[in-house]
Amino acid sequence: MIDITLPDGTIKTFEEGTTPMDVAKSISEGFARNVISANFNNEIVETSTPLTTNGSLVLYTWSNDEGKKAFWHSTSHVLAQALEELYPGIKLSIGPAIENGFYYDVDFGKHSISEKDFKSIEHKMLEIARGKHDFKMRAVSKADALSLYKSQNNEYKVELIENLEDGTISFCDHSTFTDLCRGGHIPNTGIIKAVKIMSVAGAYWRGDENNKQLTRVYGISFPKQKELTEYLHLLEEAKKRDHRKLGKELELFTFSQKVGQGLPLWLPKGAALRERLENFLKAAQKKAGYEMVVTPHIGQKELYVTSGHFAKYGEDSFQPINTPAEGEEFLLKPMNCPHHCEIYNTRPFSYKELPKRYAEFGTVYRYEQSGELHGLTRVRGFTQDDAHIFCTPDQLDKEFKDVIDLVLYVFGSLGFENFKAQVSLRDPENPEKYIGSDDNWKKAEDAILNAAIDKGLDYVVETGEAAFYGPKLDFMVKDALGRNWQLGTIQVDYNLPERFDLTYKGSDNELHRPVMIHRAPFGSMERFIAILLEHTGGNFPLWLMPEQVIVLSLSEKYEKYAEKVLNLLENHEIRALADNRNETIGKKIREAEMNKIPFMIIIGENEEKENKISVRQHGGEDLGMISVDEFSKIVEIEINKTLKTFK
């Protein structure tokens, strides 16, 4: 008999050889019908794997990320079988699950594939799936595995097997198809009810451009057709909300090949948007006791050697800048924190003067590969809303919690209400990835975990995701389309203060080392604005909109009154512009709608006579004829729905 421990702590006793599916059925037949994958003693297993020892078992359904991974990996096998049947003689390489779906890299040889072939591939996949073929794992000797793929002249599988140890090699069989595989499958193909081939692209074997280019076939699958339909609708909505598209339409930013890839140019409306975001955070920071500083865009190489950034990121940064002086090298600034350490070091501090909170909207530079650049979300030059707090160990808990409050204030003011926190700790199995002593790491990790608990955050712990100098608390925000983004980070650092020999004089008149907190509620201005654009579809909170109101005259006769209305709006600190073009009012309204302007004020004979304005809201709601004073109150109420006062 064996004892199986379930996630809720329940221990059940079973016959040796019991499978995860047997355990699921012992819980309930209904639950078992939804189980598609399992984890036993922290290893992914098949639902049909015999269990022979005591251990912990987790059963996954489609609602779990691990379940989806098994589902999509299994579908990649079905895709591979369909491709072999449709295109005889092709050579398969690898086919993993990815964040949304799966892909398979294939050497098509004499065959070619394009979008016009997608339907026939999908049809063949569903035909195979309807056979309800079981996925079965079997161990294979290295010699037999090599023999099979050498007989097929498949150099890709041969290369993979040559790098594996004998006794660790397994095949997965279903229907008439066999593939080299480690495992992690759904029970049978019949669970796959809907498939979609999304795209094809070139991919070098093993990501090496010196190797042959294969064809990567991307796909996605679901246990219900309805879910595929909903997913495709979501993709269409995402295209409409693509920040690159909206940024161009709203005239916020652009890129220039002459300036360089990954270096955004902010247009007047975009620059004004950035300025409002900066001023919003500066006002909150001022109340929280931060002091603004400014640091240069470059620094001597030695600065980043001292901080550890050069050893960690040097190869991925822009190359050193050599000056006319022999041996003198500078780097484009990859991080602001070393500069802030040097600002702290300008004079001695007493414990009575701490904490010191230095904040900066500092532009930094990272050399991202051209293939990884993506609009504003992955750039080579970006501005961080950086701040570094230098405090005593006794102050750390309060300071960290105060930063959490600031981050939550930012999220609430910008409509990000759905989020989780992620506590990122170091990987104890790979200490060489990090700097600093075990004792400092334990103190830093404990501080973050305690703060997350005390603030009542909904959080998860991710081991191995810490920064090289310290653990961190990241905020994972879910946008309007249900996508998760990492926004806002807080990090505890005992290591840079040591590297820069930062000190303060304590109450005992001895020198002590301060603790350093890194924080950036936005993260980077570029990425934050991109995510905000896609979350809101360009309909920003009213307080942030580039133009809050557009005044539309029915004819040139009313332009003088329109000018008067503009002045009154300005007196109420409402951002407005006038459209006095010789166009129909219908066209002006349509263009204002496209430009996401929240309010349209219509000016004609009746409005001028009554000394009032007719107001139309974005989306078509008519607010009627009211005075400018009444309208200003409507605007104020709308702004106060999101923009609260930071306390």
Side-chain angles (χ1 to χ4, degrees):
M1 303 296 285
I2 57 173
D3 290 335
I4 303 298
T5 304
L6 299 175
D8 64 359
T10 302
I11 299 175
K12 290 193 167 193
T13 302
F14 295 92
E15 295 280 348
E16 187 176 327
T18 294
T19 68
M21 186 56 75
D22 293 331
V23 176
K25 288 177 180 177
S26 77
I27 297 170
S28 90
E29 287 290 339
F31 174 64
R33 283 194 290 272
N34 290 314
V35 169
I36 57 177
S37 182
N39 180 306
F40 187 64
N41 288 339
N42 295 319
E43 287 188 13
I44 293 295
V45 296
E46 308 297 299
T47 57
S48 58
T49 300
L51 306 179
T52 58
T53 64
N54 297 338
S56 298
L57 179 68
V58 183
L59 299 165
Y60 299 128
T61 67
W62 171 254
S63 63
N64 305 117
D65 289 343
E66 295 85 352
K68 288 183 174 68
K69 184 176 180 181
F71 192 94
W72 287 330
H73 172 61
S74 303
T75 314
S76 77
H77 282 288
V78 176
L79 168 63
Q81 180 184 359
L83 292 175
E84 279 196 336
E85 292 183 13
L86 291 170
Y87 306 96
I90 63 172
K91 299 175 185 178
L92 304 172
S93 63
I94 58 171
I98 54 178
E99 184 178 2
N100 283 303
F102 54 88
Y103 69 76
Y104 217 113
D105 286 347
V106 183
D107 182 345
F108 276 90
K110 65 180 181 180
H111 302 286
S112 63
I113 181 175
S114 66
E115 193 171 346
K116 65 179 174 58
D117 303 305
F118 290 0
K119 284 293 182 188
S120 60
I121 297 170
E122 293 162 7
H123 179 76
K124 176 60 72 174
M125 290 176 70
L126 289 174
E127 181 184 299
I128 294 167
R130 283 192 289 269
K132 297 184 179 180
H133 308 290
D134 292 340
F135 288 96
K136 297 177 181 177
M137 296 294 297
R138 59 186 168 96
V140 183
S141 71
K142 189 168 185 175
D144 287 346
L146 286 171
S147 175
L148 173 68
Y149 286 112
K150 283 179 179 178
S151 70
Q152 297 177 0
N153 294 316
N154 188 327
E155 62 269 31
Y156 310 107
K157 297 289 190 184
V158 168
E159 183 179 328
L160 291 172
I161 293 166
E162 285 175 341
N163 291 321
L164 299 175
E165 290 185 21
D166 206 350
T168 66
I169 300 167
S170 56
F171 283 174
C172 178
D173 302 321
H174 79 269
S175 182
T176 59
F177 180 77
T178 294
D179 203 357
L180 175 69
C181 186
R182 288 186 217 166
H185 304 93
I186 58 179
N188 65 74
T189 62
I191 301 170
I192 302 166
K193 301 294 187 185
V195 299
K196 180 73 175 176
I197 302 301
M198 303 302 297
S199 63
V200 292
Y204 292 108
W205 169 235
R206 295 206 147 179
D208 187 341
E209 61 185 16
N210 295 314
N211 290 335
K212 185 172 182 178
Q213 190 175 63
L214 307 179
T215 299
R216 178 167 292 179
V217 183
Y218 287 97
I220 196 164
S221 58
F222 293 88
K224 295 179 182 177
Q225 178 62 43
K226 178 187 174 187
E227 290 174 316
L228 173 59
T229 302
E230 289 171 349
Y231 176 77
L232 295 177
H233 174 73
L234 196 68
L235 285 185
E236 285 304 310
E237 188 61 29
K239 286 179 185 176
K240 295 177 192 173
R241 291 171 177 253
D242 189 314
H243 75 275
R244 295 166 298 179
K245 174 178 177 287
L246 290 173
K248 183 177 181 180
E249 291 173 356
L250 300 177
E251 298 179 355
L252 299 178
F253 61 88
T254 189
F255 289 90
S256 163
Q257 287 298 322
K258 288 183 179 179
V259 173
Q261 286 185 303
L263 300 171
L265 299 171
W266 290 91
L267 305 177
K269 289 181 183 179
L273 177 73
R274 279 180 58 130
E275 184 180 22
R276 275 189 291 281
L277 280 171
E278 287 187 14
N279 291 341
F280 154 73
L281 187 55
K282 282 178 181 176
Q285 287 178 163
K286 187 175 181 180
K287 284 190 175 182
Y290 288 82
E291 300 171 280
M292 296 301 297
V293 297
V294 178
T295 62
H297 290 249
I298 64 173
Q300 287 203 90
K301 177 182 171 183
E302 188 59 35
L303 176 70
Y304 309 112
V305 171
T306 300
S307 69
H309 289 98
F310 184 76
K312 194 71 179 175
Y313 300 117
E315 291 183 3
D316 299 322
S317 296
F318 286 91
Q319 291 303 297
I321 302 165
N322 295 303
T323 73
E326 186 176 347
E328 188 176 54
E329 288 184 314
F330 287 80
L331 290 179
L332 287 172
K333 178 171 61 173
M335 298 286 264
N336 297 303
C337 37
H339 297 252
H340 290 190
C341 287
E342 286 301 290
I343 288 177
Y344 179 90
N345 249 345
T346 54
R347 70 172 181 85
F349 285 99
S350 159
Y351 73 98
K352 293 180 179 179
E353 298 174 280
L354 299 186
K356 295 300 293 182
R357 308 179 187 95
Y358 296 134
E360 175 182 18
F361 287 88
T363 302
V364 298
Y365 302 89
R366 315 266 176 85
Y367 187 79
E368 302 285 357
Q369 297 296 319
S370 59
E372 295 177 342
L373 298 173
H374 182 81
L376 294 179
T377 59
R378 201 75 180 265
V379 289
R380 288 174 172 168
F382 54 95
T383 301
Q384 292 181 307
D385 59 319
D386 239 341
H388 297 93
I389 302 168
F390 302 89
C391 63
T392 70
D394 290 342
Q395 295 168 335
L396 175 59
D397 183 65
K398 181 181 184 305
E399 289 299 313
F400 198 93
K401 289 174 182 174
D402 286 348
V403 175
I404 291 175
D405 288 339
L406 180 62
V407 172
L408 298 185
Y409 167 71
V410 169
F411 288 176
S413 298
L414 290 157
F416 290 113
E417 304 291 348
N418 192 350
F419 61 86
K420 282 190 174 183
Q422 176 179 302
V423 178
S424 298
L425 309 179
R426 67 173 174 164
D427 181 358
E429 303 297 320
N430 293 288
E432 70 281 355
K433 290 168 56 179
Y434 311 95
I435 62 175
S437 68
D438 289 343
D439 183 53
N440 281 348
W441 271 90
K442 185 176 188 318
K443 287 189 287 188
E445 291 178 341
D446 287 348
I448 291 181
L449 287 166
N450 290 337
I453 293 167
D454 290 349
K455 296 301 290 186
L457 295 180
D458 180 9
Y459 74 93
V460 295
V461 174
E462 291 291 343
T463 301
E465 295 298 314
F468 75 94
Y469 49 77
K472 56 182 181 171
L473 178 67
D474 293 327
F475 291 85
M476 316 304 290
V477 174
K478 184 169 284 190
D479 71 9
L481 297 182
R483 300 169 302 181
N484 289 309
W485 302 90
Q486 187 267 312
L487 279 181
T489 186
I490 319 172
Q491 303 162 2
V492 176
D493 184 359
Y494 280 83
N495 294 308
L496 284 187
E498 285 189 0
R499 285 180 166 247
F500 282 92
D501 194 24
L502 308 184
T503 61
Y504 67 90
K505 187 169 285 188
S507 59
D508 57 1
N509 220 30
E510 298 292 328
L511 291 179
H512 299 270
R513 194 78 71 200
V515 185
M516 188 175 176
I517 299 175
H518 307 242
R519 54 109 281 211
F522 292 147
S524 86
M525 298 298 291
E526 286 72 15
R527 187 168 176 274
F528 188 86
I529 289 172
I531 294 167
L532 186 61
L533 262 172
E534 298 198 4
H535 176 57
T536 62
N539 297 305
F540 298 120
L542 185 57
W543 66 268
L544 188 59
M545 288 296 295
E547 284 111 13
Q548 296 167 321
V549 178
I550 187 165
V551 180
L552 309 176
S553 303
L554 288 175
S555 75
E556 61 183 21
K557 289 193 301 183
Y558 310 110
E559 287 179 10
K560 191 169 181 181
Y561 181 59
E563 190 66 35
K564 177 184 174 182
V565 170
L566 277 177
N567 290 332
L568 290 171
L569 293 171
E570 188 177 340
N571 291 339
H572 286 283
E573 297 185 347
I574 296 172
R575 293 185 294 277
L577 73 160
D579 184 352
N580 292 324
R581 295 175 302 155
N582 187 25
E583 298 286 356
T584 65
I585 193 67
K587 183 175 181 180
K588 290 180 181 181
I589 289 172
R590 283 194 301 274
E591 290 184 6
E593 286 282 349
M594 287 176 59
N595 290 324
K596 319 286 186 184
I597 298 176
F599 294 101
M600 286 159 263
I601 288 177
I602 315 297
I603 299 294
E605 182 179 355
N606 291 337
E607 289 76 19
E608 184 177 41
K609 187 185 297 182
E610 297 288 333
N611 199 29
K612 291 188 176 181
I613 54 177
S614 290
V615 181
R616 175 190 171 101
Q617 205 160 3
H618 176 63
E621 185 181 353
D622 191 349
L623 302 185
M625 190 186 293
I626 55 178
S627 69
V628 172
D629 285 344
E630 288 173 306
F631 175 65
S632 72
K633 288 187 175 72
I634 292 172
V635 171
E636 183 181 358
I637 291 168
E638 191 65 30
I639 287 174
N640 289 336
K641 285 179 182 177
T642 54
L643 188 58
K644 311 295 183 186
T645 301
F646 181 68
K647 299 176 182 177

